[in-house]
Amino acid sequence: MAPTIGFFTRVLDDAAAAERYRIALEQIELAESLGFETAWVAQHHLDGAEGGLPSPFVLLAAAAARTARIRLGTAILTLAHEHPARAAEDAVVLDTIAGGRAELGLGTGGSPRTLSAFGEDPGQRRAIYDAKLVRLRSLIAGTADQSLYPQQQTGLEGRIWQATFSPEGAGAIGAQGDGLMLSRVQPIPSEHTGDVPPRVWEVQRRLVDAYLDALPSGVAPRVLASRSVVVVDPADRSAVRAHAEAGIGAQVAQLHGITPGSLSLDELLVRSETHLGTPAEVIDSLAADTVAAGATEVSIQVHSVDPDASITNRSLELFAREVAPALGWPVAIEPQEARRVA
């Protein structure tokens, strides 16, 4: 089955917070009109340069009021930072407002500094996450010693996702029957040798296999592959490529220890797994990604290119109208007259 498409934002536009949130909401509306199945937002605490949204349920509730069909998800909610009952309540309220359209993506969160700020021990991050996940799941499923209000009635317990970088983590997620969330980038396995790192889908194949092997019988697989995609008109290609070099260079330096300026932009695009170019170029580069092709959903984001919002909006349109159909990925674009007006 071909993957559906989703839109993902880290809410990182070069603007004040209020403008960032306005842009994100308008892009979610645009994604719905272009036939995207889901819109995902990330949660980051205390650092607006890493991600601009500490309170994803608040923004997604606003998005729910402005949309009718698109599913609204967290990718991810940093559960180790949250009180599990509070997170469960917020998720259920969002799902109620959205008419059963919430998707709950979870992960540990990566920053020791922010865990400390929330009164948690960074050294116990995994154990904290695991314990909170058990409590959150029981509350949402209605098996806990106390009941939520409002009670969950739309099957949200079947729309829990978890993120991981390891085959062991993927197997655990599969055993729990949750959806598997795959990142746009992937740490290089410790056993890898050679100067050229493997492509993201080469590493993630092991995660998908471990997940599928552990999935209980009768549970449908849910695999979301996040990918960095910026589709541009030919007239904008040179300017966007020039803008992209700094952000992608910083990402590659952080992930791979590459000295800034030592790689060409085309080499940086490969190392950062960024699909940047005209529709034809992006079709060619994404066609090689076997994990994306076999996923149940591909969610696209513009990080670390982080172009102007107008370029992001155009990229969403070009992806929906030209790239996704060419790859055989289903899209149902709304007629212009059917689109909601905010």
Side-chain angles (χ1 to χ4, degrees), residues 182-183 186 200-208 227 291:
L182 300 173
S183 176
Q186 184 75 30
V200 66
W201 59 86
E202 295 172 332
V203 180
Q204 289 179 345
R205 183 73 263 165
R206 296 170 57 200
L207 277 69
V208 174
R227 295 296 184 255
V291 164

Side-chain angles (χ1 to χ4, degrees), residues 24-42:
L25 289 169
E26 289 188 350
Q27 287 173 343
I28 291 171
E29 286 186 276
L30 175 63
E32 178 175 72
S33 72
L34 290 170
F36 284 71
E37 290 289 330
T38 50
W40 302 88
V41 296

Side-chain angles (χ1 to χ4, degrees), residues 139-164:
L139 285 162
I140 290 177
T143 60
D145 53 346
Q146 294 177 311
S147 298
L148 296 177
Y149 180 84
Q151 292 186 0
Q152 192 284 121
Q153 297 180 332
T154 61
L156 181 59
E157 74 274 12
R159 284 176 267 129
I160 295 175
W161 303 71
Q162 295 187 63
T164 187

Side-chain angles (χ1 to χ4, degrees), residues 275-299:
H275 304 273
L276 168 61
T278 63
E281 290 173 316
V282 173
I283 290 165
D284 285 345
S285 60
L286 273 175
D289 190 332
T290 55
V291 164
T296 56
E297 180 175 331
V298 175
S299 177

